[in-house]
Amino acid sequence: MIELQKVCAGYEGRNVIRNINISFPKGKVTVLMGPNGCGKTTLLKAALGLISKSSGEILYDGTEIGSLSPRDIARKAAYLSQSRNIPHITAGKMVLHGRFPYLDYPRHYRKEDYDAVRAALTETDAIELMDCRMEQLSGGQRQKVYLAMALAQNTDTIFMDEPTTFLDVYHQLELMRLAKSLAAQGKAVVLVLHDLSMALKCADQAVVISDGELIKSGSPEEIFESGILNQVFSVKVYRADTENGWQYYCEPERQL
């Protein structure tokens, strides 16, 4: 399990997140919610060692992150970032990048690596894209390939920053199904989502961040009942009891 204890981190000597205490348990979907610029992406990057913390501790199964090499971290946690370059390679070769932590230099791919690529592309409904070039794919198709690359990394924890970007409604719902399925397999799944309705429906653990600080965490029901989302987002969050459980929806606090 990855844990952050009193972590402060940021850029150019300025802390963007302050005194963050959070853990990402295996077998659970954790969703981070908060306004633009509140520090969600910074939190993910700090947890992965992509930026240095200024204070606090980041523990991977009890081991401080400073004691781990980048390769060690990459074998424990995968990251689907919010923005990525589009390389001039095929989708299959893109997903093979997820196998890099398991290869020595020079890289010689093994049967198990190609098997992992096929399994990941199948799981993200993108197997037919394997031989297509990345620059020729739509935004939604590329997003599925990048997700497959994260899955091919075969880690216990998967961080996804706005993974529904470019996906149509069907594939957004499929991504949420996949997140729950990965958690059921024992993985820790961490999502940054702006869609509050989807976040509350999918999360096992919901975390609200505002101005660089963790304001509240708990079950979706606890977060809803606290009213904190209304305060942080200046919206009214409602819910309705349906045959498929609670369904959440939002309206502006003030009608335009």
Side-chain angles (χ1 to χ4, degrees):
M1 181 170 67
I2 298 175
E3 303 172 80
L4 280 65
Q5 299 178 357
K6 297 183 179 180
V7 170
C8 299
Y11 311 91
E12 299 179 351
R14 182 180 69 88
N15 285 330
V16 175
I17 56 172
R18 299 177 297 279
N19 298 316
I20 297 294
N21 292 290
I22 188 174
S23 62
F24 304 114
K26 295 176 184 178
K28 302 290 184 182
V29 176
T30 299
V31 177
L32 307 183
M33 298 178 285
N36 292 333
C38 72
K40 301 183 297 297
T41 297
T42 300
L43 192 159
L44 296 190
K45 289 182 176 180
L48 287 154
L50 298 177
I51 60 172
S52 298
K53 55 184 171 60
S54 58
S55 61
E57 289 188 307
I58 300 172
L59 304 175
Y60 278 60
D61 295 324
T63 300
E64 226 293 326
I65 192 171
S67 301
L68 300 173
S69 69
R71 186 175 184 181
D72 291 333
I73 295 171
R75 288 184 174 188
K76 292 177 177 290
Y79 179 41
L80 177 64
S81 62
Q82 192 173 20
S83 59
R84 293 161 296 275
N85 294 326
I86 305 172
H88 300 292
I89 59 176
T90 64
K93 288 184 178 179
M94 185 78 249
V95 179
L96 271 171
H97 287 188
R99 303 300 301 166
F100 282 5
Y102 304 98
L103 303 174
D104 295 320
Y105 188 83
R107 301 184 181 102
H108 294 292
Y109 296 113
R110 304 153 298 178
K111 179 180 182 299
E112 63 197 78
D113 299 314
Y114 290 107
D115 288 345
V117 167
R118 287 189 169 276
L121 283 167
T122 298
E123 196 159 16
T124 60
D125 191 29
I127 188 65
E128 76 282 357
L129 304 177
M130 177 177 280
D131 296 322
C132 299
R133 299 192 64 80
M134 291 292 292
E135 67 269 24
Q136 297 173 345
L137 300 180
S138 69
Q141 289 173 321
R142 285 196 295 269
Q143 189 74 345
K144 291 194 287 185
V145 172
Y146 291 128
L147 176 56
M149 181 175 66
L151 296 184
Q153 204 166 321
N154 192 28
T155 57
D156 286 338
T157 302
I158 300 178
F159 292 97
M160 304 186 206
D161 194 354
E162 285 297 316
T164 58
T165 302
F166 301 119
L167 297 181
D168 58 39
V169 173
Y170 172 80
H171 284 99
Q172 288 180 29
L173 295 174
E174 282 295 291
L175 177 61
M176 295 303 103
R177 179 201 60 76
L178 176 59
K180 299 293 278 187
S181 174
L182 292 171
Q185 296 170 28
K187 296 181 182 294
V189 181
V190 185
L191 308 174
V192 171
L193 294 176
H194 278 298
D195 186 326
L196 298 184
S197 302
M198 186 174 291
L200 292 170
K201 180 65 177 176
C202 178
D204 297 306
Q205 173 180 238
V207 178
V208 182
I209 299 171
S210 182
D211 294 327
E213 297 183 353
L214 195 158
I215 303 301
K216 189 171 181 62
S217 64
S219 68
E221 292 79 10
E222 290 170 334
I223 295 296
F224 170 81
E225 290 170 357
S226 73
I228 191 67
L229 296 176
N230 298 345
Q231 299 174 35
V232 169
F233 289 96
S234 298
V235 297
K236 290 289 187 180
V237 183
Y238 302 93
R239 69 180 180 184
D241 195 5
T242 73
E243 62 182 12
N244 294 317
W246 290 113
Q247 299 292 332
Y248 298 88
Y249 63 99
C250 307
E251 290 183 353
E253 189 175 55
R254 295 180 299 274
Q255 297 295 327
L256 298 178

